[in-house]
């Protein structure tokens, strides 16, 4: 990787960090649950990409990193859906006791 490519990648990363921070801080609390569900769907796409990378027959660094990515992305998706479900449970009306 050349120095110019590294500087360009760092520049894009810094700009994306600032843009993401500004977007996230402007979201009202009532929209956090739907946005979390969307983020979980995007994490599901990361699982598919990691499965494609980890699907090779030869064991090398790429396959090992792909396997680690599958495990971590799966944990992220499952945990995200559990948190989203728990948050949605707070908005349900409680049944009256008889």
């Amino acid at each position: 990787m050349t120095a110019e490519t590294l500087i360009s990648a760092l520049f894009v990363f810094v700009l994306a960090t600032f843009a993401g921070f500004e977007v996230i801080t402007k979201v009202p609390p009532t929209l956090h649950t739907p946005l979390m569900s969307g983020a979980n769907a995007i994490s599901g796409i990361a699982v598919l990409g990691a499965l494609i990378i980890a699907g090779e027959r030869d064991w090398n660094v790429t396959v090992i990193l792909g396997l680690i990515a599958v495990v971590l992305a799966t944990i992220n998706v499952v945990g995200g859906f559990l948190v989203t479900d728990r948050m949605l449970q707070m908005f349900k009306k409680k049944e009256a006791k008889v």
Side-chain angles (χ1 to χ4, degrees):
M1 183 183 295
T2 65
E4 184 177 306
T5 306
L6 180 64
I7 291 172
S8 296
L10 286 173
F11 183 71
V12 169
F13 177 74
V14 170
L15 286 179
T17 302
F18 283 126
F21 179 77
E22 286 300 316
V23 168
I24 289 172
T25 56
K26 304 293 190 252
V27 174
T30 55
L31 292 178
H32 278 265
T33 301
L35 288 176
M36 282 180 60
S37 296
N40 291 334
I42 293 170
S43 292
I45 295 169
V47 171
L48 290 178
L51 281 171
I52 290 170
I53 291 174
E56 297 180 12
R57 291 184 180 254
D58 298 330
W59 281 90
N60 54 21
V61 175
T62 306
V63 175
I64 294 169
L65 290 176
L67 179 63
I68 293 170
V70 169
V71 171
L72 293 177
T74 303
I75 291 170
N76 186 31
V77 170
V78 171
F81 278 118
L82 289 174
V83 168
T84 302
D85 184 57
R86 187 170 181 183
M87 289 177 67
L88 289 174
Q89 294 296 325
M90 294 183 342
F91 293 105
K92 286 188 177 181
K93 292 182 180 178
K94 295 180 181 178
E95 295 180 15
K97 292 183 180 179
V98 179

